[in-house]
């Protein structure tokens, strides 16, 4: 694999090079996050720094401040070779940024590299150059566009929602946990650049679910009429309480009815966003209602949370491309 991208930027090399020196750290303004897995190094960019993005792992073996950052791929990546970022002066107010990858795949990577890794690598690289140009000049003359293959592959670049215990930090949901007839929690990774406001996540999950989830809810409303259970609408997911944290917080949504009461907690804490649900039934109708819900609920919640993460990532990218986003803000907690 020999893959080279470069772009000429109308800005001094030292300005673009300073951005390169923050690569992989909390002030990184080059790597396109949250739409892709962030690049994370175990220390400030320097020779010996270990890190990577997703399953692509590497170690810095060359660092010339404001000019070059070179990385050798680690064996577990399935690539033998390296990648190099360089910033080359082209005069006092112009420079060229370049990313070159020269590596040979091994094992399964021989199949994955051309089909998956290279299209996504191309998208990541051009977005890096967009960020460099935007940060150095204030605008991007010709923003990069993802290829059709990269657009098709992008939805699977996230880790996806996984089952989790009810978080200790979910204080608003705690009174609803004991004796619950339905209790579960699902988490997705919080990436730099995503919102920390739990209400934004709640709105993305419940106000804009996948189309097939909306269709299921419409079908549910027709079926429950047969057994005397009220139809639900958007008010079923109204926010009851909110608790703000240092970097995130929690909102509690839900509704009370004759057959059952339910609450949904959306918690942003640390590097995770957790959607937890607790339901308490009041009668036989409520218990019968939960029979099919127990089967469908995990599938629906995972889909809603995954879609929310994807939509918020795309919104962050659109905002940045139109100049409304703010990059380089460190986040802790």
């Amino acid at each position: 694999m020999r893959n080279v991208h470069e772009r000429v930027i109308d800005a001094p090399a030292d300005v673009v090079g300073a951005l390169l020196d923050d690569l992989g750290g909390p002030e990184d303004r080059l790597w396109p996050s949250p739409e892709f897995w962030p690049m994370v190094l175990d220390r400030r960019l320097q020779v010996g720094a270990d890190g990577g993005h997703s399953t692509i792992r590497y170690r810095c073996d060359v660092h010339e401040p404001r000019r070059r950052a070179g990385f050798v791929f680690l064996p577990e990546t399935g690539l033998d070779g390296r990648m190099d970022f360089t910033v080359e002066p082209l005069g006092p107010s112009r420079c060229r940024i370049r990313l070159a990858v020269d590596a040979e795949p091994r094992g399964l990577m021989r199949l994955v590299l051309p089909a998956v890794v290279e299209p996504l690598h191309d998208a990541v690289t051009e977005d890096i150059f967009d960020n460099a140009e935007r940060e150095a000049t204030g605008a991007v003359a010709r923003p990069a566009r993802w290829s059709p293959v990269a657009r098709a592959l992008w939805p699977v670049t996230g880790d996806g929602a996984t089952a989790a215990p009810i978080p200790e930090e979910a204080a608003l949901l705690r009174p609803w946990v004991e004796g619950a007839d339905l209790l579960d929690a699902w988490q997705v990774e919080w990436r730099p650049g995503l919102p920390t406001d739990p209400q934004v996540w709640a709105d993305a999950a419940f106000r804009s679910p996948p189309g097939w989830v909306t269709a299921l809810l419409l079908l549910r409303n027709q079926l429950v009429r047969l057994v005397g259970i009220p139809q639900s609408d958007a008010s079923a997911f109204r926010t009851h309480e909110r608790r703000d944290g240092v970097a995130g917080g929690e909102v509690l949504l839900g509704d009370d009815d004759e057959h059952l009461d339910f609450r949904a907690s959306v918690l942003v804490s640390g590097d995770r966003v957790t959607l937890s649900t607790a339901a308490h039934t009041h009668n036989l109708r409520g218990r019968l209602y939960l029979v099919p819900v127990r089967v469908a609920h995990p599938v629906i919640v995972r889909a809603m949370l995954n879609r929310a993460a994807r939509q918020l990532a795309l919104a962050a990218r659109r905002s940045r491309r139109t100049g409304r986003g703010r990059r380089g803000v460190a986040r802790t907690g």
Side-chain angles (χ1 to χ4, degrees), residues 149-169:
V149 175
R151 288 198 299 272
L153 291 171
W154 180 79
V156 301
T157 60
D159 290 332
T162 56
I166 304 296
E168 290 294 332
E169 304 97 315

Side-chain angles (χ1 to χ4, degrees), residues 6 8 14 32 68 103 118 140 152 172 189 197 204 227 239 247 258 263 266 271 305 324:
E6 59 182 35
V8 173
D14 281 349
R68 183 183 176 194
E118 283 199 82
V140 180
L172 298 181
E189 178 189 13
D197 187 340
V227 293
T239 299
E258 293 181 359
R263 291 295 182 270
V266 179
D271 63 351
L305 196 51
R324 293 192 294 270

